[in-house]
Amino acid sequence: MICSDKWVVQLVVDQCKARNISHWVFSPGSRNAPFAITVDSDPYFHTTVIHDERSAAFFALGMAERLNQPVVLCCTSGSAPANYLPAITEAYYRNIPLLVVSADRPQAWTDQGDGQTIRQLNLFKDFTHSVVHLEDGPLSDQTLWQHQRETAILFDKLQHYGPAHINVGLSEPLYQTASKERTFERNITILQNFSPSKEAIHTIAKEIEGKKVMVLCGQLSEDLALLQALELFASNSNVVVLTENTSNLWCERFNACIDRSLNRINKTNEEDFMPEVLISLGGAVVSKRIKSFLRKSKLHMHIRLGISFPAMDTYQQLSHSLVCEPASFFQALNEQLSNKATVNYFGKWKQLDYEIKDRMPSFLPETDLLTDFHVYQSFFELVPEGSTIHMANSSVIRYCQLFDPIKGCQYFANRGTSGIDGSTSTALGYASKDQGLNILLTGDVSFLYDSNALRLRDLAPNMKIILINNQGGGIFRIIDGSKDAEQRNRFFEASHELKGTIAQEYGWKYRQCHAVGDLEDAMNALLYTENVNCLEIRTDSNQSPHTLKDFFTFVR
Ligand SMILES: Cc1ncc(C[n+]2csc(CCOP(=O)(O)OP(=O)(O)O)c2C)c(N)n1
């Protein structure tokens, strides 16, 4: 079959076909020629041609009403799409699904005196439920993902709510054709107010039966109902539940240290560990490794659960978003699963976890210098059950993911935007309304950034601070790229000689620790006595990344 050689044009047409949208009303012009060529060459489509865009749009409105399905309006650039506005306003207030596909110059040419070029992107902004701009250009994985995702969501909204607009920047030549070699369709279904009815859950239960299912939990508040439902769901041998400490879900069957486990998976065995079905819930996931692992996996489906950001496509394969409480989803699913042992996906992941757990205690850093790793190792051994742990961003939260969460502790971090600017203030604000022991683990840059918060000590007398001073942004010695960059020291790590003594000036009972030999005593003094409530631990910034690397090698 012949089509325009422009892949963005093929993508829009494929998306229409995938959703059974077959009626197009064209108004003649040059810029929209690639659409005319593509649609006209496919006998699946029904086309009507009307010169006057104003009339064409009302004509399409009538068609959509009679057919009870979306109709596409396609015109050239300039004042042409502006003439669609009256009909679009009518459609908007009556929920009639008209899709405007307006051809445009590439955005770079807007307001540059090129013929028939106006600011058309926002023409229908107030009277459509979704506006997407696509741009002609080389086909890259990232642009394809973005265009497919944005249009998939737009089509989902079009069918539920009414008019939508796709503006397409196209460059010349416009009339060149190609033979159709692939389809660019992608479907995302977003079910608002999803209620886990028997029928809906039955369909999902059938889809996932016998498949490798991974549940990935991001940041969540403690939720007993969810925990119980997930525990039961995890008893299926084809299910693995991955959590992070910020998920605040603890169960022996879950894998709570994702990076530690992924460290043992390599190219030769990764397929065995990749899921076929992904169910994700909660907010941000800390592990970068799991994100790239899942983007590489060939998912049969990805179901996203929860109320916020239903269209977020972190793993680039979102297929269904169910806007509902995750606990009620798993409760309903548990009632319908037969729990037949078909594939031991759980065992594979859990074995990794157990093997690492066995090896962890024998890892002793091969250095006399005090490193960041020593601090976390000691902290997770000594921290009292039931504490509330606040983690500042950058390497602190990443190190904390390497240790099994302590049962009964709660974990918090500003992972909405991962800023280093307010971790101390946030932790103090939380502690000021909490009765129990609150502990903040922070790096030196975050600590100094938010040092004004130290004045708030009296508002949260139950707060203890552990400042891990590696004399700069230690994270930049760990992450690929920055760790070897010539500019690392000055521009990224921004190393300094400042100390946390400022805490003393605000009345904190401050202690310093410089040596491995003093660590346990200092940590105990902070955690178990009234004598210290701010402990600064000076670690060796050169040695720390090496010890972290040694750890990963040791538990591989
Ligand atoms: C407001 C803000 N500015 C800049 C950054 C970029 N950034 C991320 S980590 C980091 C350094 C953090 O250093 P530190 O708090 O000492 O933690 P470490 O990495 O040493 O654990 C910076 C500047 C950010 N996340 N947020």
Side-chain angles (χ1 to χ4, degrees):
M1 198 163 43
I2 291 295
C3 56
S4 159
D5 66 344
K6 298 190 181 302
W7 70 271
V8 274
V9 171
Q10 293 180 38
L11 182 144
V12 173
V13 175
D14 289 349
Q15 292 284 50
C16 285
K17 200 168 172 180
R19 284 160 188 82
N20 290 327
I21 300 173
S22 58
H23 290 83
W24 286 62
V25 177
F26 278 93
S27 293
S30 209
R31 197 60 49 173
N32 61 339
F35 285 101
I37 292 166
T38 307
V39 172
D40 185 49
S41 308
D42 187 342
Y44 169 79
F45 291 108
H46 308 278
T47 53
T48 310
V49 180
I50 300 173
H51 256 114
D52 176 336
E53 286 86 6
R54 188 198 54 83
S55 172
F58 279 110
F59 186 87
L61 182 92
M63 276 172 80
E65 256 188 298
R66 177 65 185 92
L67 293 166
N68 200 18
Q69 51 178 256
V71 172
V72 189
L73 281 160
C74 183
C75 67
T76 189
S77 62
S79 61
N83 285 290
Y84 284 158
L85 188 61
I88 296 300
T89 59
E90 177 68 19
Y92 180 75
Y93 285 107
R94 289 172 55 208
N95 291 356
I96 297 176
L98 289 185
L99 172 62
V100 175
V101 174
S102 55
D104 197 354
R105 258 67 174 168
Q107 288 285 280
W109 285 100
T110 307
D111 292 345
Q112 302 311 311
D114 209 23
Q116 258 178 269
T117 307
I118 67 162
R119 290 174 222 162
Q120 61 188 56
L121 180 56
N122 290 328
L123 271 179
F124 311 108
K125 179 165 98 340
D126 292 334
F127 302 101
T128 45
H129 294 280
S130 191
V131 179
V132 166
H133 177 75
L134 309 180
E135 193 99 15
D136 189 12
L139 175 58
S140 71
D141 285 351
Q142 186 149 299
T143 331
L144 176 61
W145 168 59
Q146 185 188 358
H147 285 7
Q148 281 185 319
R149 168 171 52 82
E150 289 179 351
T151 51
I153 292 160
L154 175 141
F155 276 95
D156 190 64
K157 284 195 181 157
L158 169 74
Q159 274 161 322
H160 289 106
Y161 305 110
H165 177 199
I166 302 179
N167 189 56
V168 190
L170 296 168
S171 39
E172 290 165 26
L174 299 165
Y175 292 88
Q176 286 188 347
T177 58
S179 59
K180 182 98 176 118
E181 270 162 17
R182 59 180 283 193
T183 170
F184 292 94
E185 70 175 78
R186 180 178 172 197
N187 237 323
I188 299 177
T189 306
I190 298 176
L191 298 177
Q192 299 289 347
N193 303 319
F194 176 76
S195 100
S197 68
K198 264 213 157 102
E199 301 73 52
I201 293 293
H202 184 71
T203 317
I204 296 169
K206 281 269 149 279
E207 281 285 344
I208 69 175
E209 205 173 84
K211 296 210 171 63
K212 295 184 286 175
V213 179
M214 177 183 285
V215 180
L216 177 61
C217 305
Q219 185 164 23
L220 288 158
S221 318
E222 240 184 359
D223 180 342
L224 193 59
L226 174 63
L227 176 64
Q228 286 169 347
L230 262 180
E231 267 178 330
L232 194 56
F233 187 59
S235 64
N236 293 284
S237 64
N238 62 327
V239 172
V240 52
V241 177
L242 301 187
T243 59
E244 298 189 320
N245 55 25
T246 43
S247 312
N248 290 301
L249 293 164
W250 190 93
C251 166
E252 188 53 49
R253 276 187 87 86
F254 302 168
N255 278 44
C257 297
I258 301 175
D259 281 356
R260 229 171 56 177
S261 297
L262 283 175
N263 178 52
R264 302 202 73 201
I265 297 174
N266 53 46
K267 279 214 158 47
T268 60
N269 63 0
E270 67 184 9
E271 285 250 328
D272 298 343
F273 291 91
M274 285 172 168
E276 292 164 289
V277 174
L278 172 67
I279 304 177
S280 65
L281 57 140
V285 166
V286 177
S287 170
K288 283 187 175 188
R289 288 193 195 195
I290 193 69
K291 290 178 192 159
S292 35
F293 181 77
L294 288 171
R295 286 170 195 154
K296 272 194 294 182
S297 307
K298 293 264 165 299
L299 298 178
H300 168 74
M301 75 196 301
H302 170 199
I303 304 174
R304 182 177 164 88
L305 302 175
I307 315 289
S308 47
F309 298 100
M312 200 179 263
D313 187 22
T314 312
Y315 312 103
Q316 301 186 303
Q317 296 171 77
L318 180 66
S319 56
H320 297 80
S321 194
L322 312 183
V323 181
C324 65
E325 284 300 332
S328 58
F329 172 84
F330 287 110
Q331 282 157 357
L333 197 53
N334 285 334
E335 281 173 24
Q336 301 215 19
L337 287 177
S338 50
N339 207 348
K340 277 185 252 146
T342 45
V343 32
N344 192 10
Y345 187 49
F346 161 78
K348 267 203 154 309
W349 273 88
K350 200 63 207 175
Q351 189 181 348
L352 285 183
D353 194 39
Y354 281 144
E355 284 168 3
I356 301 165
K357 276 192 173 98
D358 285 349
R359 286 180 72 73
M360 289 265 300
S362 16
F363 177 71
L364 298 172
E366 278 181 22
T367 172
D368 295 335
L369 300 167
L370 182 53
T371 67
D372 291 353
F373 194 90
H374 282 100
V375 179
Y376 298 98
Q377 199 175 32
S378 167
F379 176 76
F380 279 93
E381 261 169 41
L382 299 175
V383 64
E385 255 189 51
S387 310
T388 299
I389 299 166
H390 303 268
M391 296 163 290
N393 278 308
S394 81
S395 77
V396 171
I397 189 151
R398 297 190 184 281
Y399 269 104
C400 287
Q401 303 309 317
L402 301 178
F403 298 86
D404 284 284
I406 309 295
K407 203 178 168 186
C409 288
Q410 289 201 69
Y411 294 81
F412 294 92
N414 282 350
R415 291 308 285 181
T417 54
S418 305
I420 60 163
D421 37 5
S423 301
T424 312
S425 301
T426 312
L428 283 159
Y430 184 99
S432 73
K433 295 292 167 204
D434 190 53
Q435 303 299 317
L437 174 62
N438 279 249
I439 307 156
L440 167 69
L441 289 158
T442 173
D444 44 281
V445 180
S446 314
F447 176 85
L448 294 166
Y449 197 124
D450 195 14
S451 57
N452 268 335
L454 297 169
R455 296 175 63 176
L456 311 173
R457 181 182 51 86
D458 290 343
L459 300 176
N462 50 343
M463 170 59 81
K464 305 241 173 178
I465 298 177
I466 299 178
L467 159 60
I468 301 140
N469 187 348
N470 50 23
Q471 305 96 57
I475 187 77
F476 297 109
R477 286 187 182 242
I478 299 172
I479 49 181
D480 286 336
S482 65
K483 71 175 187 228
D484 303 315
E486 216 177 287
Q487 292 78 10
R488 187 197 70 211
N489 191 275
R490 179 154 176 255
F491 285 89
F492 309 134
E493 189 184 5
S495 62
H496 63 84
E497 281 306 316
L498 296 167
K499 297 194 176 61
T501 41
I502 184 175
Q504 270 173 314
E505 285 161 33
Y506 290 116
W508 291 76
K509 293 175 202 154
Y510 168 85
R511 171 170 171 173
Q512 271 191 24
C513 167
H514 297 264
V516 181
D518 183 36
L519 183 60
E520 192 176 331
D521 186 59
M523 199 68 96
N524 275 321
L526 177 92
L527 296 173
Y528 292 100
T529 76
E530 296 295 310
N531 303 335
V532 184
N533 57 13
C534 179
L535 173 63
E536 174 173 9
I537 306 173
R538 268 184 89 85
T539 57
D540 190 281
S541 58
N542 288 320
Q543 181 57 38
S544 285
H546 294 296
T547 300
L548 180 63
K549 204 166 159 218
D550 291 347
F551 166 76
F552 275 118
T553 312
F554 186 82
V555 294
R556 179 158 291 146

